[in-house]
C-alpha cells in the first residue's frame, strides 16, 4: 500500500455513491464541501504541491489522514479551492474529537 487514504465510496441518505462520481448537484456539492471544510484543520503545503498531480498526492499537514483524504476528495471531484472556501466560511474550531478506530467515528 502507499499509506494514503482515498474516498472510494460514500453513503448519502443510505444510498451508496462511487467515490469518483459523487452527487453533482450544487446542493450536495455545497453541503459536502462545508461539512468537510468546517470539520478539518488540514492544509496542503503550497510550496510542495503540483496542481497537476491528484490532490491525494499533495503534501497535507496539520491534521490526520482522514481529514486529508476528505479534502482531497472535494478537490478532485468538485474542484473546490480549499483556501477560498475556508476564507468564505471563517470559523474557529472550538473542540476537536479525533477519529477513534475502535468505534469508527469521532
Amino acid at each position: 500500500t502507499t499509506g494514503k487514504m482515498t474516498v472510494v465510496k460514500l453513503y448519502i441518505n443510505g444510498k451508496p455513491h462511487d467515490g469518483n462520481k459523487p452527487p453533482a448537484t450544487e446542493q450536495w456539492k455545497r453541503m459536502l464541501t462545508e461539512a468537510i471544510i468546517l470539520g478539518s484543520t488540514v492544509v496542503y503545503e503550497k510550496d510542495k504541491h503540483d496542481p497537476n498531480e491528484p490532490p491525494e498526492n499533495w503534501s497535507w499537514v496539520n491534521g490526520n489522514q482522514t481529514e486529508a483524504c476528505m479534502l482531497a476528495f472535494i478537490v478532485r471531484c468538485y474542484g473546490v479551492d480549499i483556501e477560498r472556501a475556508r476564507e468564505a466560511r471563517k470559523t474557529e474550531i472550538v473542540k476537536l474529537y479525533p477519529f477513534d478506530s475502535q468505534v469508527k467515528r469521532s
Side-chain angles (χ1 to χ4, degrees):
T1 64
T2 62
K4 294 180 183 177
M5 297 175 72
T6 58
V7 173
V8 294
K9 188 179 284 189
L10 62 150
Y11 289 83
I12 299 174
N13 291 333
K15 296 180 183 174
H17 295 272
D18 184 326
N20 291 313
K21 296 180 182 182
T25 66
E26 282 302 312
Q27 178 183 12
W28 281 114
K29 176 183 173 182
R30 182 179 46 78
M31 289 188 336
L32 286 171
T33 297
E34 285 187 12
I36 292 168
I37 294 237
L38 292 175
S40 172
T41 58
V42 172
V43 295
Y44 63 91
E45 294 182 290
K46 295 177 196 173
D47 59 335
K48 291 186 179 180
H49 99 286
D50 178 352
N52 297 317
E53 284 285 319
E56 288 84 1
N57 294 343
W58 295 356
S59 180
W60 298 92
V61 295
N62 196 33
N64 65 47
Q65 285 185 345
T66 303
E67 293 175 80
C69 164
M70 292 189 302
L71 285 169
F73 164 75
I74 61 172
V75 170
R76 177 173 41 85
C77 292
Y78 293 132
V80 171
D81 180 328
I82 296 168
E83 291 177 345
R84 186 178 299 167
R86 280 192 172 138
E87 188 64 31
R89 301 287 302 162
K90 280 208 172 198
T91 59
E92 178 183 344
I93 294 177
V94 177
K95 181 151 176 85
L96 279 174
Y97 296 93
F99 182 78
D100 183 327
S101 61
Q102 292 184 340
V103 294
K104 305 289 187 212
R105 62 179 166 81
S106 295

